[in-house]
Amino acid sequence: MTIIAATEHFAGPPEWTWYILFYFFLAGVAGGSYFLATLLRYWGAPADEAVARIGFYVAFPATLLGLLLLTLDLKQPLRFWHMLFNTTPGQFGLNFNSSTPMSVGVWALLVASVFAAVSFLDALARDRRSRALLDGAVGMAWSVVGSVVYLFIAGYTGVLLAVSNQPIWSDSWALGGLFLASGLSGAAALLLLLSRYRSGAESTRGMLELSERLFTVLELVLLVIVLLTLIDDGTLGKALSFPWVLLWLAALVGMLPALAGLTARRFRVGSGGTLAAGRVQALVLGPTLVLLGVLALRAWVIFAAQH
Amino acid sequence: MATNIVPGKAYGFFTDTSVCIGCKACEVACKEWNQLPATDKGFLGESLDNTGTLDGQNWRHVKFIDNVPDETMGNGNGKPFLLMSDVCKHCTHASCMDVCPTGAIIRTEFDTVFIQGSVCNGCRNCIAACPYDVIDIDPEQDVARKCTLCYDRLQGGMEPACAKACPTESIQFGPLDELRAKAERRLAQVHAGGTSEANLYGHDDKVYGGLHAFFLLMDKPEVYKLPRAEDAVLPQRNNLGGYLGVVGTAVVAVFGAIFALRNRGSVARATPPPEAPPPEATP
Ligand code: SF4
Ligand code: SF4
């Protein structure tokens, strides 16, 4: 039984390629970073503030870069604002089309970038030991609302693909969830990587590693659901055809460090290997692989459908 | 065929593929009136179907569908090439319009679907959505373009260039209600002639609420790369499932993250120890 009805596809590809791929990546990582930063600051230990700030520092530039890529992807980049304002003669006004996640997403991005900008400045202010811009309940409310918007940003990109008549994309209701879960695991991995450069970040690494593993399990479950929905709609063969299956495999490889961590290390105290090698693996190689996997997953979904 | 064209009335095409001879006069007339350049034929060379596909600069395309079966057939059972002059269907429920974020795609006073070139920003969402592979970017103007149903000619009281040029009246232009009645009569005639597979596609509201360019086909719609009526559902059908998937994932992820916050100790102990031993950080 399908939630999305099987559709025969004769639609042509929109040729969304590299800009969109990297935008989707940034949207996932920015969304996950903002969310994790909020969680760490307001529900974590005081020592988690260091990583929370990294998260707020990541979200804003990643969002700005994402907006830039989205704009560059347009055939008429200077008309980016046409997404926001209707320029049809006689119908001037704000544009909002709730039928397409593209329109909803553009507005959400705009709102998110305001949240991210303020949180970014707030982190800067705190780092310079001046007063925080966002304190107490207001700060918390700001970050929580911002997190909700950012969770949407990380996930809507998958819904945007689904709301089309393209093979693969329009055959699964789970792409949005999949992108959200992988964005979150990517964000945890990125924060883990960056935590090496910030003193006081050590005590948060356990949380980041565990959350990265749990998000990866969620991602794996959603990936299975996506494959099942594709079987149902007869597009699994297209999705796993050569060479796109290599991207799919790369996405799977990207999940391995986290899954291996869950099965092998989660319940064992201590570790084998030399100290230095173990640390490099835990803090650099693993997260890097996860991030490459996040990118490969999106590349697989984007490219396999359009060929 | 003189038609009095008045705003406020629905117009369209009835294309009777049974009489198409593949002369491509429609393609030429379309290019000429709309000042669309001849495009590089590429690997299709001088083959019959060297237009290949509808796109930003080819708004009419005579499809040559090789339907000849591999096995030898008895007399009268073989199927020859199927011909069909393809064009934007000017859908009543148009997928392209459904997803356009700029409002560039509008419905005109003749109930046709029109892309305003000055409003479009080239996001290509409409290309992803059109189930008939009609729209594409015009590489010279860098905006999405397709058949306008000769909007400018209609405003001037003239029938579209392709219909005027068609020598066999395969493409007929007129008020939609008249065309539908005409199509029913023609279908009965073709059936009476012995072609039982002949069918009308898009003449009623079963396909995207009714197509303003509808067809008499000599085989099943899929053979012409036209989605079946049961598949003809707007892209927005996937909004609800997609957003619910995101919300469900977000809820599980929030719980997962809180769990990680509470149980981080297990990982902190299990991972290789950092330079300085981490403080017991479980809140
Ligand atoms: S055929 Fe495609 S381009 Fe034409 S109105 Fe329908 S959805 Fe839009
Ligand atoms: S490419 Fe142009 S017409 Fe198509 S959806 Fe985007 S803005 Fe609308």
Side-chain angles (χ1 to χ4, degrees):
Chain A
M1 139 104 210
T2 40
I3 295 182
I4 286 178
T7 307
E8 257 189 299
H9 304 284
F10 301 112
E15 278 157 39
W16 290 337
T17 56
W18 299 104
Y19 288 132
I20 296 302
L21 167 61
F22 285 101
Y23 163 63
F24 280 11
F25 175 80
L26 289 168
V29 169
S33 298
Y34 196 96
F35 164 71
L36 286 173
T38 301
L39 197 76
L40 288 168
R41 172 175 290 169
Y42 294 103
W43 283 274
D48 292 330
E49 174 63 20
V51 174
R53 283 188 205 166
I54 302 178
F56 289 125
Y57 281 141
V58 165
F60 182 51
T63 308
L64 282 192
L65 188 58
L67 274 169
L68 179 72
L69 293 179
L70 265 189
T71 305
L72 289 176
D73 182 69
L74 298 174
K75 292 290 171 185
Q76 298 273 355
L78 293 178
R79 294 185 188 170
F80 179 76
W81 59 281
H82 286 201
M83 299 266 186
L84 306 170
F85 297 97
N86 195 342
T87 58
T88 303
Q91 285 181 31
F92 294 111
L94 292 182
N95 246 341
F96 180 70
N97 177 359
S98 62
S99 300
T100 170
M102 188 178 282
S103 187
V104 182
V106 161
W107 283 106
L109 263 177
L110 216 66
V111 174
S113 51
V114 173
F115 277 94
V118 174
S119 297
F120 180 88
L121 291 176
D122 172 66
L124 263 186
R126 287 173 193 245
D127 265 347
R128 298 199 169 158
R129 300 197 193 288
S130 51
R131 254 193 91 224
L133 295 181
L134 295 168
D135 237 346
V138 177
M140 185 166 162
W142 181 267
S143 297
V144 168
V145 176
S147 289
V148 173
V149 179
Y150 262 114
L151 286 174
F152 177 82
I153 295 290
Y156 93 93
T157 49
V159 189
L160 168 65
L161 297 183
V163 179
S164 70
N165 275 313
Q166 297 293 308
I168 301 174
W169 299 352
S170 63
D171 293 330
S172 183
W173 53 269
L175 280 182
L178 177 66
F179 282 8
L180 171 57
S182 97
L184 284 165
S185 69
L190 184 65
L191 297 187
L192 211 48
L193 265 181
L194 297 179
S195 71
R196 296 168 68 223
Y197 303 104
R198 184 147 184 144
S199 61
E202 298 81 11
S203 63
T204 311
R205 285 180 194 149
M207 182 277 175
L208 290 175
E209 283 193 58
L210 185 53
S211 58
E212 181 199 277
R213 293 170 194 180
L214 296 176
F215 294 148
T216 304
V217 172
L218 188 56
E219 188 184 344
L220 192 64
V221 170
L222 284 155
L223 184 61
V224 171
I225 294 176
V226 166
L227 294 181
L228 290 176
T229 49
L230 296 188
I231 293 177
D232 210 30
D233 271 354
T235 34
L236 184 68
K238 184 177 174 70
L240 296 183
S241 64
F242 188 81
W244 316 113
V245 66
L246 298 179
L247 287 170
W248 181 76
L249 286 172
L252 276 189
V253 170
M255 294 184 198
L256 285 181
L259 296 177
L262 259 192
T263 52
R265 283 203 260 143
R266 165 90 171 77
F267 302 108
R268 207 190 306 149
V269 177
S271 84
T274 65
L275 263 190
R279 275 195 64 67
V280 168
Q281 192 198 347
L283 291 180
V284 183
L285 293 183
T288 306
L289 212 56
V290 170
L291 283 166
L292 289 175
V294 170
L295 197 61
L297 177 81
R298 284 157 176 73
W300 168 59
V301 174
I302 289 176
F303 292 118
Q306 296 185 81
H307 287 89
Chain B
M1 178 190 62
T3 306
N4 186 23
I5 300 164
V6 287
K9 209 168 170 178
Y11 292 89
F13 294 124
F14 161 47
T15 303
D16 178 355
T17 68
S18 70
V19 293
C20 177
I21 53 172
C23 69
K24 303 203 230 186
C26 51
E27 287 191 22
V28 175
C30 175
K31 287 236 174 206
E32 201 165 319
W33 179 262
N34 293 298
Q35 299 185 319
L36 298 167
T39 39
D40 182 12
K41 292 190 284 283
F43 77 95
L44 294 170
E46 298 303 322
S47 61
L48 285 176
D49 190 354
N50 56 7
T51 305
T53 176
L54 289 171
D55 60 32
Q57 295 185 333
N58 291 295
W59 299 351
R60 267 277 174 196
H61 166 222
V62 180
K63 283 182 176 173
F64 287 71
I65 299 157
D66 176 353
N67 212 24
V68 185
D70 292 337
E71 67 274 26
T72 315
M73 303 296 281
N75 261 359
N77 286 331
K79 283 187 185 170
F81 274 97
L82 296 173
L83 300 175
M84 171 201 175
S85 178
D86 198 11
V87 70
C88 168
K89 316 299 177 287
H90 296 272
C91 315
T92 300
H93 301 149
S95 301
C96 58
M97 232 176 128
D98 193 39
V99 303
C100 176
T102 65
I105 305 182
I106 56 164
R107 199 162 275 289
T108 71
E109 63 271 36
F110 305 108
D111 210 14
T112 56
V113 177
F114 179 72
I115 305 180
Q116 306 173 91
S118 60
V119 179
C120 169
N121 66 10
C123 70
R124 309 181 315 280
N125 214 15
C126 54
I127 301 175
C130 171
Y132 297 105
D133 194 7
V134 164
I135 307 183
D136 211 343
I137 295 292
D138 177 345
E140 279 174 27
Q141 307 211 351
D142 277 334
V143 291
R145 295 185 83 194
K146 66 164 191 76
C147 158
T148 67
L149 218 138
C150 282
Y151 189 25
D152 49 353
R153 287 177 66 98
L154 298 196
Q155 284 170 319
M158 292 183 287
E159 71 173 311
C162 53
K164 193 163 179 62
C166 179
T168 64
E169 290 193 6
S170 172
I171 303 171
Q172 298 178 36
F173 167 81
L176 217 48
D177 43 1
E178 285 176 25
L179 289 179
R180 284 173 177 158
K182 205 182 261 185
E184 297 282 5
R185 290 197 296 274
R186 175 63 185 153
L187 180 69
Q189 220 175 29
V190 175
H191 279 167
T195 312
S196 55
E197 307 98 317
N199 64 93
L200 291 178
Y201 180 81
H203 67 300
D204 56 19
D205 61 6
K206 292 201 185 89
V207 177
Y208 293 111
L211 305 181
H212 286 223
F214 63 95
F215 300 83
L216 188 152
L217 304 176
M218 303 302 278
D219 208 330
K220 291 189 288 295
E222 306 90 282
V223 175
Y224 294 85
K225 297 201 169 186
L226 301 168
R228 295 167 305 201
E230 55 269 37
D231 291 338
V233 194
L234 286 175
Q236 58 167 286
R237 69 187 180 275
N238 291 345
N239 268 318
L240 183 62
Y243 286 134
L244 284 180
V246 172
V247 171
T249 307
V251 170
V252 176
V254 168
F255 280 113
I258 292 173
F259 178 86
L261 210 51
R262 302 250 158 95
N263 297 278
R264 66 174 96 185
S266 61
V267 175
R269 280 192 303 276
T271 45
E275 294 91 17
E280 197 47 64
T282 310

